[in-house]
Amino acid sequence: AFEHHIRTEIPPVSPVPVDPRELDERIAVLSALLGEEGAKGREYHLARCLTTRGRVADAERALALVRRALGPQAPAEAWVLAGRIASQVEGSDSGITVLRQGLRVAQPAGNLVSLYQACAELIAREDRFGEAIDLLQEGIAKIPTQLNLFALYQSCAELMARANRTDDAIELLQEGI
């Protein structure tokens, strides 16, 4: 009965509590409920809570949880969170690897735009602008225009401008329009 109550009260996409006390309580309840392993959506939500709280050991624990929550049915946001935490805990290459895996296995109907943007952002942080631009252009070619594709055009143009390719950036934005 308790588990059913938690499932109805705390869906995986519910907002993370802002109040520190409520956040600690949510973490404690979900930790007790999940034990060693639990429903992927609950693990994803607990990882979000831990990331928000931000204590020393929270990032590593959140990474383990969100990795267990990944798979073809996982929302793009879970892959993005996993990539960001992996980058923080294990380094940029680990985060990039997670995000690239997400791009390979995530459902096409999901928000792949956010996955492309997050991966390109991590790659660009490593001053690998050409690789990041190529990745965003791949996304532009693969994602249907009705799925917020302009965000990829904008991100790609920004990277082109940072790489001193302003003419290419202007041409890309015109194409996007």
Side-chain angles (χ1 to χ4, degrees):
F2 176 69
E3 187 175 346
H4 181 267
H5 172 73
I6 295 298
R7 266 191 244 143
T8 57
E9 291 296 313
I10 308 172
V13 294
S14 65
V16 172
V18 177
D19 177 49
R21 185 174 162 192
E22 186 181 343
L23 181 61
D24 284 341
E25 289 172 2
R26 171 103 28 114
I27 290 169
V29 167
L30 288 175
S31 295
L33 179 66
L34 295 173
E36 290 298 313
E37 194 165 340
K40 290 182 179 223
R42 304 280 173 277
E43 290 183 326
Y44 167 62
H45 184 74
L46 179 53
R48 288 175 44 223
C49 289
L50 289 164
T51 302
T52 299
R53 185 171 70 175
R55 291 186 185 159
V56 176
D58 285 349
E60 288 182 13
R61 186 167 168 222
L63 180 57
L65 287 162
V66 76
R67 278 189 167 147
R68 289 194 322 232
L70 298 178
Q73 302 301 321
E77 292 78 16
W79 287 98
V80 170
L81 180 64
R84 289 195 172 131
I85 298 171
S87 174
Q88 174 189 348
V89 172
E90 299 173 345
S92 293
D93 285 338
S94 178
I96 292 166
T97 299
V98 168
L99 291 168
R100 284 190 181 275
Q101 180 184 5
L103 287 169
R104 284 192 303 275
V105 304
Q107 294 296 324
N111 185 5
L112 295 180
V113 170
S114 64
L115 269 171
Y116 275 105
Q117 285 181 303
C119 191
E121 179 185 306
L122 283 179
I123 293 169
R125 274 194 219 154
E126 298 296 310
D127 292 326
R128 296 164 24 199
F129 292 108
E131 185 180 342
I133 290 167
D134 289 345
L135 180 70
L136 290 172
Q137 288 177 323
E138 172 189 308
I140 290 168
K142 284 185 177 180
I143 295 175
T145 54
Q146 67 270 22
L147 296 178
N148 196 19
L149 188 57
F150 186 75
L152 290 184
Y153 278 99
Q154 184 177 2
S155 295
C156 190
E158 287 174 13
L159 288 177
M160 287 176 166
R162 286 174 50 193
N164 293 321
R165 293 175 48 189
T166 51
D167 290 341
D168 292 338
I170 292 168
E171 184 178 316
L172 183 72
L173 287 174
Q174 288 173 334
E175 176 187 319
I177 292 170

